[in-house]
Amino acid sequence: MASGNRLDWVDMAKGISIFLVVMMYAASSVGEDTGGVGALHWAIAFATPFRMPEFFLISGLFLSQVIDRPWNAYADRRVVHYLYFYALWAVIHIVFKVGLLATDPVGAVEQIAWAVVQPYGVLWFIYMLAAVSAVTKLLHDLKAPVWGVFGIAAILQVADIHTGSYLVDQFAEYFVFFYAGYVLAPHLFRLAGWATDHAALALVGLLVWAVLNAALVFSPGFAMHPIHPVMGYAGLPGLHLLLALVGTAALCTIAALLTRLPFMDWLRWMGSKSLVIYVAFVLPMGISRTLLIKLGMDEPTVLSLLIMAISIVSPLVLYWIVQRIGFGRFLFDRPDWAHLPGTGRRAAPIATPAE
């Protein structure tokens, strides 16, 4: 199924991914502030192997359609696009949290400077999308063997690299999943089509996957902590990579099945605005968490659910207001001046197109 030039199941997958990401931050922040563990902590523990890999993989699905473009056009769409929103929202987050709330303007300036080389906060994902997109294009132009690159990327992920540089470490951890979206796209599209036509068999396969994933996550070595759970056997090098790839395929299958249910169309729409939510959910999350805790609410599950709902809805409300009044569109629509010369200089919405 398609909506305009977008595939419904891709947006549905993005909706699931942003839902899981916001859920993780809501649960971990509540755990950090209250020391409690709620139902959302257990849901996030189950999703740990594939939660962020899915986001990277989906972002690489349509890369084959643009990777042969000239560098100028490619960089405008796949690098500058992300860096614009990263820079803008990093400044907004730092100025608000450090400059205003912490009344530390000097510290804010320092953090803005560091954000150039060290991906800032939750926005690290957008920074890394620009980085992995640029590297993939470079390797493509150098005619590097696709499966050789995939193998090296897998080795980097399994190596569990810790250099002290967040940029280097996150690249090593997640490049393989972005590249997997690029090289495995035809197989994933076929899988989604098959799942739509064979729902019963797909559900059986998903049940088997869910049982195996849960068994490996909650196996010996698992530890539930208020901030971040520690996986059992699922955290082992190699097995973690395998579970991440299988889990992302499972989420693509789930997304394809959900497109058959009209009442779930809200999740598809939310997925089409996933980056709108991603850049703007942190501030309402922090504010709502502080207010709700001050009001005496400390039950982890209820508190996490409320914060998650507020964090998802608030950016969408802001986006709707901006579109209605026409002021502040630069927050979500890249202005003409933020395009590279010769690329058309058209307004580019933050929601990633299915190119």
Side-chain angles (χ1 to χ4, degrees), residues 216-248:
L216 291 169
V217 168
F218 300 117
S219 58
F222 173 80
M224 176 57 75
H225 298 296
I227 301 177
H228 294 296
V230 177
M231 293 184 291
Y233 295 148
L236 294 174
L239 185 55
H240 184 193
L241 172 61
L242 178 62
L243 285 178
L245 292 173
V246 174
T248 56

Side-chain angles (χ1 to χ4, degrees), residues 109-120:
V109 173
E110 290 177 350
Q111 288 201 24
I112 289 172
W114 272 110
V116 175
V117 294
Q118 286 283 76
Y120 177 79

Side-chain angles (χ1 to χ4, degrees), residues 265-326:
D265 195 57
W266 63 271
L267 186 59
R268 180 205 59 78
W269 180 85
M270 193 175 81
S272 72
K273 302 295 183 291
S274 59
L275 285 184
V276 169
I277 298 171
Y278 199 99
V279 297
F281 81 85
V282 171
L283 296 181
M285 175 174 287
I287 294 170
S288 61
R289 185 179 69 251
T290 300
L291 291 176
L292 289 172
I293 290 176
K294 284 187 176 181
L295 290 173
M297 186 173 295
D298 58 4
E299 202 288 315
T301 298
V302 175
L303 184 57
S304 298
L305 283 170
L306 284 174
I307 292 171
M308 181 178 69
I310 293 169
S311 302
I312 289 174
V313 172
S314 296
L316 296 174
V317 170
L318 175 61
Y319 177 78
W320 178 81
I321 292 173
V322 165
Q323 297 304 311
R324 293 282 292 182
I325 66 177

Side-chain angles (χ1 to χ4, degrees), residues 75-151:
D76 182 74
R77 178 67 264 173
R78 283 285 183 163
V79 181
V80 175
H81 181 72
Y82 292 121
L83 291 181
Y84 168 78
F85 291 112
Y86 169 77
L88 172 65
W89 282 93
V91 169
I92 291 173
H93 286 190
I94 293 170
V95 168
F96 183 82
K97 292 194 289 185
V98 182
L100 298 179
L101 292 184
T103 62
D104 184 9
V106 175
V109 173
E110 290 177 350
Q111 288 201 24
I112 289 172
W114 272 110
V116 175
V117 294
Q118 286 283 76
Y120 177 79
V122 68
L123 298 172
W124 71 269
F125 169 69
I126 301 174
Y127 187 112
M128 292 310 303
L129 281 182
V132 296
S133 296
V135 170
T136 302
K137 171 65 170 173
L138 177 62
L139 292 170
H140 174 77
D141 286 359
L142 291 174
K143 301 188 184 305
V146 171
W147 293 108
V149 172
F150 184 78

